[in-house]
Amino acid sequence: MAAAGTATSISLKSSLGDNKGLVRLVRSNSEINNIGFRLACFKPLKGEIFGAQLASKMASTERQIQFDNSSLVRVRAEAEASMSLGHRHRVKANAASAQGPPSGSVQELYVYEINELDRGSPAYLRLSQKPVNHLGDLVPFSNKLYSGNLQKRIGITAGLCILIQHFPEKNGDRYEAIYSFYFGDYGHISVQGPYLTYEESYLAITGGSGIFSGVRGQVKLKQIIFPFKLFYTFYLEGIPSLPETLLGEPVSPTPDVEPSPSAKNVEAHACVPNYTQ
């Protein structure tokens, strides 16, 4: 029995000794399989990591593209707005150039107002019931208008003066005047302000029509002979160039000035179109 056991032990050892290489091979295969298993597990994880990184990079790129597109759209919109604004400025400048003087320039217009005693003007309404001129007295009036060179009949004045104060020492009065100058087909100019019978005065231009639409400025009133002859210098702004018919070198205002016979007779060449009567 002992011999048999020993033989068996020797045989087993021998067998184990002979199979060491097999054991190593099995161990090696097991480690390889284990590495393969880990690699197999890492591959999808690597794919997920790489995919996430790729997706993140793509998202970042898309955001950058969207930002760039947004910036491009904004820049393009700003450029178009600038071009449009420049176009409007050019159109406006061209229109202003075509119409006449630019905004802020002043045109002078000279006009004579002459009372020829054929219109029942002025009418003195003594509402104050005082024996001398007094606050509240009214003076409606309408007189003929001639160009500054006295060669053309251009229309009439029409308005109302309200007496504000009488100045005995100056032998004159201060009125608040509200009236209009009518120029036939050309339209009219309205004015308001002080009318001083003893010295020059300035009235504000309050508006107009026709070629005077949108007008602004002031007018200087020079009393020549009260209430028969007055000379006006208009300082006009905000309107196109005045027609040549209304212009001309003015005659110096003196007490003996008179319109030309053709203007007085309203001959065709000596009046504006459809002059206001």
Side-chain angles (χ1 to χ4, degrees):
M1 289 293 293
T6 302
T8 302
S9 175
I10 293 171
S11 176
L12 179 59
K13 287 180 179 179
S14 176
S15 175
L16 288 173
D18 293 337
N19 290 325
K20 284 181 180 179
L22 178 62
V23 171
R24 286 196 297 271
L25 178 62
V26 171
R27 182 181 299 170
S28 175
N29 287 339
S30 176
E31 291 174 353
I32 291 173
N33 289 337
N34 189 31
I35 293 172
F37 173 77
R38 288 198 299 271
L39 288 174
C41 293
F42 176 73
K43 283 181 180 179
L45 179 61
K46 180 180 180 181
E48 291 178 4
I49 295 173
F50 177 76
Q53 291 176 343
L54 180 61
S56 175
K57 185 65 175 176
M58 290 178 65
S60 175
T61 303
E62 288 176 355
R63 286 194 299 270
Q64 183 65 35
I65 292 174
Q66 290 175 356
F67 175 79
D68 291 342
N69 287 341
S70 176
S71 299
L72 180 60
V73 169
R74 185 173 65 255
V75 170
R76 182 177 178 182
E78 290 174 353
E80 290 177 348
S82 177
M83 291 174 64
S84 176
L85 181 61
H87 175 69
R88 289 199 299 271
H89 284 327
R90 287 194 300 273
V91 170
K92 187 175 181 180
N94 291 339
S97 176
Q99 287 182 346
S103 176
S105 64
V106 178
Q107 300 181 77
E108 293 186 9
L109 174 64
Y110 306 100
V111 173
Y112 274 98
E113 179 183 10
I114 298 180
N115 186 339
E116 297 180 346
L117 301 177
D118 59 352
R119 301 180 65 83
S121 174
Y124 203 97
L125 307 178
R126 202 174 290 280
L127 300 184
S128 66
Q129 299 182 359
K130 303 290 184 179
V132 296
N133 295 351
H134 198 273
L135 175 66
D137 291 345
L138 302 181
V139 185
F141 65 95
S142 179
N143 298 311
K144 294 178 181 178
L145 291 176
Y146 293 91
S147 60
N149 59 13
L150 294 170
Q151 298 302 307
K152 291 185 183 295
R153 169 77 183 278
I154 57 179
I156 63 169
T157 55
L160 179 68
C161 288
I162 306 169
L163 197 144
I164 302 300
Q165 190 172 4
H166 175 59
F167 296 95
E169 69 281 7
K170 296 180 180 180
N171 193 29
D173 301 293
R174 176 193 176 105
Y175 291 90
E176 180 68 16
I178 306 169
Y179 58 115
S180 295
F181 297 76
Y182 291 92
F183 299 89
D185 284 351
Y186 292 126
H188 84 284
I189 299 175
S190 293
V191 302
Q192 181 175 351
Y195 168 29
L196 309 177
T197 65
Y198 49 88
E199 65 183 30
E200 292 181 356
S201 52
Y202 287 83
L203 298 89
I205 294 173
T206 58
S209 66
I211 67 170
F212 304 106
S213 178
V215 69
R216 61 184 186 276
Q218 60 181 340
V219 59
K220 180 173 70 174
L221 183 161
K222 180 178 179 60
Q223 187 74 49
I224 304 173
I225 302 176
F226 175 78
F228 302 108
K229 292 181 181 179
L230 298 91
F231 180 71
Y232 297 91
T233 303
F234 288 86
Y235 302 96
L236 307 174
E237 300 180 54
I239 60 172
S241 297
L242 294 170
E244 292 295 327
T245 310
L246 298 177
L247 303 177
E249 189 65 26
V251 174
S252 181
T254 61
D256 59 348
V257 295
E258 291 290 340
S260 67
S262 56
K264 269 193 171 185
N265 295 328
V266 199
E267 296 176 14
H269 68 282
C271 61
V272 301
N274 293 321
Y275 69 94
T276 307
Q277 300 187 47

